């Protein structure tokens, strides 16, 4: 078994039996942010606390990434011959915030705005040390 390492330090709890995204919450107005920020863009407050975000939400908007993106620095299979399209979208976590994430579903016919989604973690690449690089994604919820 290769060791699994998170694609971004601090974006989610890892390793964990039930990993969660780590966001921040403004202690002044209650605004949630992901990735976590030290300041609040809504009320310009500077007091935030780290919170583990919910794992289920609804699809707010989405598109299908049909070729390897150039930026931001892309980690994954960037060979145009073997690259597999994937969905990207925003999932709105109820009472929290919208999360920009990969979607496991790449068929636009199977992605409907407002559909329930749940958080999962998927391997996307192998790093130079042979570790499996893991990122978060959302998949259509099963119920
Ligand atoms: Zn605020």
């Amino acid at each position: 078994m290769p060791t699994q390492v998170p694609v971004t330090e601090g974006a989610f709890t890892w390793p964990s039996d039930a990993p969660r995204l780590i966001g921040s919450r403004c202690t002044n107005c209650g605004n949630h942010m992901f990735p976590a920020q030290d300041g609040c863009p809504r009320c310009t407050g500077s007091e935030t606390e780290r919170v583990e975000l919910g794992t289920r939400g609804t699809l707010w908007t989405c598109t299908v990434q049909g070729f390897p993106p150039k930026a931001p620095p892309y980690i994954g299979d960037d060979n145009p011959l073997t690259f597999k399209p994937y969905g990207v979208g925003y999932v709105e976590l109820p009472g929290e915030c919208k999360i920009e994430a990969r979607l496991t579903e790449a068929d636009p016919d199977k992605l409907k705005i407002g559909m329930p989604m749940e958080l999962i973690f998927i391997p996307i690449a192998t790093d130079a040390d042979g570790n499996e690089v893991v990122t978060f994604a959302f998949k259509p919820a099963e119920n």
Side-chain angles (χ1 to χ4, degrees), residues 26 29 31 40 43:
C26 175
C29 75
N31 186 34
C40 174
C43 73

Side-chain angles (χ1 to χ4, degrees), residues 1-6 14-15 121-123 131-134:
M1 279 290 287
T3 303
Q4 293 188 316
V5 297
W14 196 271
F121 291 83
I122 57 171
N131 300 315
E132 203 167 59
V133 180
V134 177

